[in-house]
Amino acid sequence: MRTKIALKKTGFIALPVAIIIGVLVYFAVSGTKAAVPPSFTTARQNAASVSHDIVALTTSVNQNIQAANAAEAKGDTNAVLAAIGDARTANAAAYEKAFALSQNLQQMTQALTEINPASSRQMASEAVAIELSLVSEFIAYTGSLNDFLNTLARSIAVNGLSGNSAVAAALKVVNDRAATIDKLNQEFNQKMDAFDASVK
């Protein structure tokens, strides 16, 4: 069925959240050995709080899409559209939280000059720069996901083959962005592994 084709790769939805939290874990561990300014620590803690909100919202998006899939299997169009609407609402909130997280990361960037030693500071700087790019991509990802949800809702409403093709195209954009996030995550982890080792 159309929605089963569109919804079978929903694992991508939760992936960016785990990536965003990664920066917080690394800095929490490494902060005990490196000289980290209070402003950096405060920004990190604020980012942690926002990240937990994103976790909850993204989980909600995933659950709503799964509910839409289950309702579609039963032929309950109204329930499908309601679940898609709930997913859109949660996704919009995740976008707002991701933007707030990017501001926290900017604050961390401003505090980088006070991290010592210089070699660790450079590693942290490179890692945060990658994380900023990753969060920017996540923000774009929420936009693409919203487009996918809108296209899916239209496809179900009109029940046409042309809609099915549009759903597949919209899903491809979402998954391509998820692949970019995967790549950035690998780069980020490499930088943070080096940073973590430098302050042991």
Side-chain angles (χ1 to χ4, degrees), residues 170-186:
L171 179 61
K172 183 179 185 306
V173 173
V174 172
N175 287 341
D176 286 348
R177 288 200 180 281
T180 299
I181 291 173
D182 277 340
K183 182 175 181 296
L184 289 170
N185 181 50
Q186 292 174 4

Side-chain angles (χ1 to χ4, degrees), residues 91-92 94-96 98 137-147 177:
N91 186 55
Y95 164 82
E96 295 295 337
E137 188 64 28
F138 178 77
I139 290 172
Y141 171 90
T142 62
S144 296
L145 180 58
N146 191 62
D147 291 342
R177 288 200 180 281

Side-chain angles (χ1 to χ4, degrees), residues 160-198:
L161 293 176
S162 60
N164 185 45
S165 176
V167 167
L171 179 61
K172 183 179 185 306
V173 173
V174 172
N175 287 341
D176 286 348
R177 288 200 180 281
T180 299
I181 291 173
D182 277 340
K183 182 175 181 296
L184 289 170
N185 181 50
Q186 292 174 4
E187 295 175 5
F188 167 75
N189 284 335
Q190 290 171 358
K191 294 291 184 183
M192 290 312 302
D193 283 343
F195 173 75
D196 196 39
S198 75

Side-chain angles (χ1 to χ4, degrees), residues 38-86:
S39 57
F40 186 93
T41 301
T42 298
R44 176 183 62 81
Q45 292 170 341
N46 292 338
S49 177
V50 174
S51 292
H52 285 302
D53 291 340
I54 293 175
V55 169
L57 289 166
T58 308
T59 299
S60 178
V61 172
N62 188 43
Q63 291 172 342
N64 284 314
I65 291 179
Q66 295 298 334
N69 196 26
E72 192 275 342
K74 297 177 182 178
D76 190 343
T77 301
N78 289 333
V80 173
L81 294 175
I84 291 173
D86 290 340

